[in-house]
């Protein structure tokens, strides 16, 4: 009888482990889905169409707006709420389309991308003031790592009043300020530096800004939030 029980346990454990692994993979896919559909797909589509296939800026922006536009409409009609990240990307694309109508001034064309970045940064800050920080969609998958227990911990900590929601807002504030700062620096550079210099410096400004923003937001928000989630999971 003892041998039978041991054999049964040996047979059940691999199945349980496989089920747990499937749950983790499913949770990871679900946590990353909004970020992929609402931000990465439209952005990648724009660069693929404009740089890869040589499509004009306006056409590439228009086609890359299809997914966020559909997601925004779906949220309004079906779920009776605004899909913040999809609406943000759609708004940025619309701003880009409007700015693309302006031609002839090379400095204005250099500042065009700043208008898009600045719009996103401003929208992120407004979302924090409204109590619905937009950057949470990008932050949550990295803190929870697709783990079901960590996702549940995130929901508990985020719903409670205290340090965790403040850190969640801090993350969006850092990114909003960073994007606005990058937009301001590129705009100033477009109208003060030689055009050739600014063309070469544009990518550098963006890279430096993103790097600094990642470092600062990591120290001020991501790191402490990960520790809080880990502590909450261990305490269960």
């Amino acid at each position: 009888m003892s041998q039978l029980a041991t054999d049964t346990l040996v047979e059940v454990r691999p199945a349980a482990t496989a089920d747990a692994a499937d749950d983790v993979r499913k949770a990871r896919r679900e946590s990353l889905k909004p970020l992929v559909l609402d931000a990465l797909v439209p952005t990648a589509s724009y660069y693929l169409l404009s740089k890869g296939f040589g499509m004009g800026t306006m056409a590439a922006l228009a086609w890359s707006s299809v997914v966020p536009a559909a997601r925004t409409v779906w949220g309004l009609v079906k779920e009776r709420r605004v899909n913040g990240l999809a609406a943000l990307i759609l708004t940025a694309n619309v701003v880009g389309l409007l700015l693309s109508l302006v031609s002839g001034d090379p400095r204005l064309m250099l500042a065009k991308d700043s208008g898009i970045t600045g719009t996103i940064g401003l929208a992120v800050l407004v979302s924090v003031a409204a109590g619905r920080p937009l950057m949470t969609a990008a932050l949550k998958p990295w803190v929870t790592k697709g783990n079901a227990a960590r996702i549940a911990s995130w929901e508990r900590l985020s719903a409670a009043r205290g340090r965790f929601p403040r850190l969640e807002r801090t993350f969006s504030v850092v990114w909003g300020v960073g994007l606005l700062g990058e937009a301001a620096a590129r705009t100033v550079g477009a109208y003060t530096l030689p055009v050739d210099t600014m063309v070469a410096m544009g990518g550098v400004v963006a890279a430096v800004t993103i790097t600094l923003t990642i470092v600062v937001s990591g120290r001020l928000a991501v790191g402490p939030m990960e520790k809080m989630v880990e502590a909450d999971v261990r305490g269960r």
Side-chain angles (χ1 to χ4, degrees):
M1 184 66 178
S2 176
Q3 180 63 39
L4 177 60
T6 303
D7 291 343
T8 301
L9 286 174
V10 170
E11 292 174 0
V12 169
R13 280 173 183 166
T17 303
D19 289 341
D22 288 341
D23 289 341
V24 170
R25 284 193 292 268
K26 183 178 180 181
R28 184 179 291 114
R29 287 195 299 268
E30 289 300 316
S31 65
L32 287 172
K33 186 186 296 182
L35 180 62
V36 172
L37 291 178
D38 299 331
L40 296 183
V41 169
T43 303
S45 298
Y46 169 72
Y47 283 106
L48 179 63
L49 293 172
S50 61
K51 308 300 182 183
F53 292 96
M55 188 176 288
T57 300
M58 293 188 66
L61 282 170
W63 281 108
S64 64
S65 299
V66 172
V67 172
R71 296 269 292 172
T72 301
V73 172
W74 176 263
L76 289 171
V77 174
K78 191 71 176 180
E79 302 173 9
R80 298 293 191 274
R81 67 180 181 86
V82 176
N83 185 322
L85 193 56
L88 175 61
I89 297 299
L90 179 61
T91 301
N93 283 357
V94 170
V95 171
L97 283 168
L98 293 175
L99 291 174
S100 295
L101 296 174
V102 181
S103 61
D105 184 351
R107 294 188 180 276
L108 184 58
M109 295 305 294
L110 281 174
K112 181 188 69 176
D113 291 339
S114 302
I116 298 174
T117 304
T119 299
I120 295 175
L122 182 61
V124 169
L125 293 178
V126 170
S127 73
V128 174
R132 297 176 62 89
L134 284 171
M135 293 303 293
T136 293
L139 171 63
K140 186 176 179 180
W142 299 110
V143 174
T144 60
K145 298 175 174 45
N147 180 278
R150 294 175 71 92
I151 292 173
S153 175
W154 172 288
E155 298 298 339
R156 286 192 297 270
L157 292 170
S158 184
R161 294 181 179 179
R163 188 186 179 201
F164 195 86
R166 289 197 299 271
L167 292 172
E168 190 178 343
R169 293 191 295 270
T170 297
F171 182 82
S172 283
V173 168
V174 171
W175 276 94
V177 171
L179 292 171
L180 278 177
E182 190 264 357
R186 287 167 66 100
T187 300
V188 171
Y191 286 97
T192 57
L193 297 175
V195 172
D196 292 342
T197 301
M198 193 55 206
V199 168
M201 288 293 295
V204 175
V205 172
V208 170
T209 301
I210 291 174
T211 300
L212 287 176
T213 305
I214 290 174
V215 171
V216 173
S217 63
R219 290 183 177 178
L220 294 182
V222 181
M225 292 176 79
E226 287 182 332
K227 292 179 181 178
M228 291 182 69
V229 167
E230 289 168 0
D232 183 77
V233 170
R234 286 196 301 268
R236 294 288 164 174

